[in-house]
Amino acid sequence: MATFGVIVFPGSNCDHDAYHAMKHVMNCDVKFLWHKDTDLAGIDFLIVPGGFSYGDYLRSGAIARFSPIMQEVVKFAEKGGPVMGICNGFQILLEAHLIPGAMMHNQKLRHVCKDIYMRCETTDSLYTSGLEKGQIFNIPVSHGEGNFFISDDGLKSLQDNDQVLFRYCDANGDLTEESNFNGSIDSIAGITNTGRNVLGMMPHPERAMEKILGSEDGKPIFESILNSLSVA
Amino acid sequence: MYKAKVNVTLRPSILDPKGKAAHHALQNLGLNQVSKVRIGKFIELDVEADSESAAKEIVESACSKLLANEVMEDFEIEIE
């Protein structure tokens, strides 16, 4: 059985959501890892959770990227270890250059906290292998800087290499200007690296795990991860 | 000791939502002569170095490693 590690930075606030999702909904072994830890022994899967690490000073994720544990996370990812960055975690992984691109302020400048729809764009990753291409998820977002940006060349290479895992869409699965609420380039909600072991996504699947809390659309993503880890 | 002044600006090709909002507010104030607003960051650093060029090198490294994100930002350094 895989052991999950959830990294805790000063200012993380979705660390407990991620812990709860993995421990009590998915029944997995989970450990919190403090940002000053440097030992990832026994960890099979890393979650970099959402929040406001280091108060989002300078740029979201810019300071967290240099915390002691992130040096180990980079090594772990470079060896092919799976790393999932959610929201602020996505921003940290971008700053750490584990995935390409950058985050800008939402186009309309507001922090957006609501349930949105996103669409699975490829099943070619350990995160999405158990999903269906085109499958629609109703999942919460909560961010002020989720406006994904990348150069034209960078975008082309993301598309050519099938690295876009999720796009914002409407309830019917169509990509519209309105459904792309934060102004992300190409409606991008989540991408993977070329090695396909690192995922960055702005929506919060770990907050959509139980019907009683609104949606359990996040669950298939974690089921997909567990399946991929068990056959790996 | 040298004083470094750093300007971090969004690359020209990148839409600046904050600048756009400020521009809109200026228009509401009747300052229609302002045709464009771009918002960046100004950072001051005190640097211990033996020479101006050494100080500049240190600040350049600080900018490219941390202070600016070169995916979307440019930086300019002034040493005094």
Side-chain angles (χ1 to χ4, degrees), chain A residues 126-145:
Chain A
L126 75 113
Y127 304 94
T128 55
S129 58
L131 312 177
E132 277 170 42
K133 189 174 173 175
Q135 194 174 343
I136 302 164
F137 301 85
N138 184 19
I139 284 196
V141 291
S142 179
H143 60 252
E145 290 178 50

Side-chain angles (χ1 to χ4, degrees), chain A:
Chain A
M1 188 71 165
T3 301
F4 287 71
V6 176
I7 300 176
V8 184
F9 296 99
S12 293
N13 67 6
C14 300
D15 42 352
H16 282 265
D17 301 64
Y19 186 94
H20 171 76
M22 297 322 296
K23 179 93 179 172
H24 301 119
V25 184
M26 304 306 296
N27 299 312
C28 295
D29 289 328
V30 198
K31 280 184 192 154
F32 280 126
L33 299 163
W34 183 232
H35 70 118
K36 286 185 175 164
D37 291 346
T38 51
D39 184 8
L40 300 182
I43 301 291
D44 303 299
F45 188 103
L46 278 171
I47 298 179
V48 190
F52 297 86
S53 57
Y54 299 90
D56 273 356
Y57 294 155
L58 199 62
R59 294 178 308 276
S60 308
I63 313 269
R65 177 220 161 166
F66 290 102
S67 60
I69 200 163
M70 279 310 295
Q71 317 317 311
E72 301 308 310
V73 173
V74 170
K75 285 182 209 159
F76 181 84
E78 281 171 353
K79 278 188 282 185
V83 181
M84 178 184 197
I86 303 168
C87 198
N88 189 223
F90 186 2
Q91 295 162 338
I92 295 168
L93 298 183
L94 288 169
E95 287 284 345
H97 305 303
L98 285 176
I99 32 179
M103 281 299 171
M104 310 214 308
H105 280 272
N106 293 348
Q107 206 159 31
K108 289 177 186 158
L109 287 173
R110 290 206 190 102
H111 184 108
V112 179
C113 180
K114 64 174 185 183
D115 291 347
I116 54 95
Y117 292 97
M118 65 170 204
R119 195 173 79 179
C120 170
E121 300 293 277
T122 174
T123 54
D124 181 15
S125 80
L126 75 113
Y127 304 94
T128 55
S129 58
L131 312 177
E132 277 170 42
K133 189 174 173 175
Q135 194 174 343
I136 302 164
F137 301 85
N138 184 19
I139 284 196
V141 291
S142 179
H143 60 252
E145 290 178 50
N147 181 354
F148 182 72
F149 174 80
I150 192 164
S151 66
D152 290 344
D153 289 349
L155 180 61
K156 194 174 178 302
S157 114
L158 283 183
Q159 292 163 340
D160 290 350
N161 297 321
D162 202 21
Q163 283 171 258
V164 181
L165 302 193
F166 301 108
R167 283 195 174 90
Y168 301 115
C169 64
D170 65 14
N172 301 316
D174 295 325
L175 308 181
T176 66
E177 209 174 310
E178 210 166 76
S179 66
N180 187 22
F181 62 94
N182 59 18
S184 287
I185 199 162
D186 200 23
S187 295
I188 284 173
I191 56 168
T192 188
N193 60 341
T194 47
R196 308 193 85 78
N197 57 315
V198 180
L199 163 67
M201 65 187 297
M202 287 314 289
H204 285 277
E206 85 287 11
R207 289 196 198 168
M209 299 295 284
E210 291 148 295
K211 197 106 206 174
I212 196 168
L213 296 178
S215 164
E216 50 185 3
D217 280 10
K219 233 171 140 180
I221 296 171
F222 291 103
E223 283 163 356
S224 184
I225 292 168
L226 286 182
N227 271 334
S228 304
L229 292 178
S230 68
V231 296

